[in-house]
Amino acid sequence: MTDDSETAFAEERRSARKLLGDESITAFYLGVVRDGETADTTFAQTADDPEQEGLQALSLLATHVRIVANEAGVDPSTVAGDAATLAGRMEELSPEELASVENDGDADS
């Protein structure tokens, strides 16, 4: 990482910690990547009814898809399709195959 990207990353991490410290949040999704390979995630929400729970979950997902699409410079539907394909295969992929999917869009299986 360059000094600028390290500074930006540190600022984003501080911002995330501040957001998670807010007692008024009703839903969150957190994904963490360590050493470029291990992804740990957690999701939690509270709502008055199942419809609100579903809308919160979809809102978090849609926001994440939009952010990834903007970073990658592609259409959100491309990211959503790739994410759905990868989600369906997550348990059957080894870490090496997952890296292959990330690098060239198709597993070596």
Side-chain angles (χ1 to χ4, degrees):
M1 263 192 218
T2 66
D3 287 343
D4 287 343
S5 63
E6 287 177 15
T7 300
F9 182 79
E11 180 57 37
E12 290 295 331
R13 185 170 46 195
R14 279 191 295 276
S15 177
R17 287 182 175 146
K18 183 178 178 182
L19 287 171
L20 287 171
D22 182 344
E23 295 297 322
S24 69
I25 61 173
T26 58
F28 67 87
Y29 167 80
L30 176 67
V32 178
V33 176
R34 291 182 182 86
D35 298 326
E37 294 180 13
T38 303
D40 295 314
T41 62
T42 187
F43 170 76
Q45 67 176 327
T46 182
D48 294 333
D49 59 60
E51 184 177 340
Q52 185 182 8
E53 284 184 0
L55 289 173
Q56 286 180 155
L58 283 172
S59 177
L60 289 170
L61 176 60
T63 299
H64 185 71
V65 166
R66 189 188 73 229
I67 290 168
V68 170
N70 286 343
E71 287 291 321
V74 299
D75 189 78
S77 64
T78 300
V79 172
D82 289 350
T85 299
L86 186 57
R89 298 186 60 198
M90 285 296 288
E91 291 191 17
E92 68 186 54
L93 293 175
S94 70
E96 293 80 20
E97 290 171 323
L98 183 57
S100 176
V101 169
E102 291 171 350
N103 291 332
D104 64 22
D106 194 16
D108 298 325
S109 52

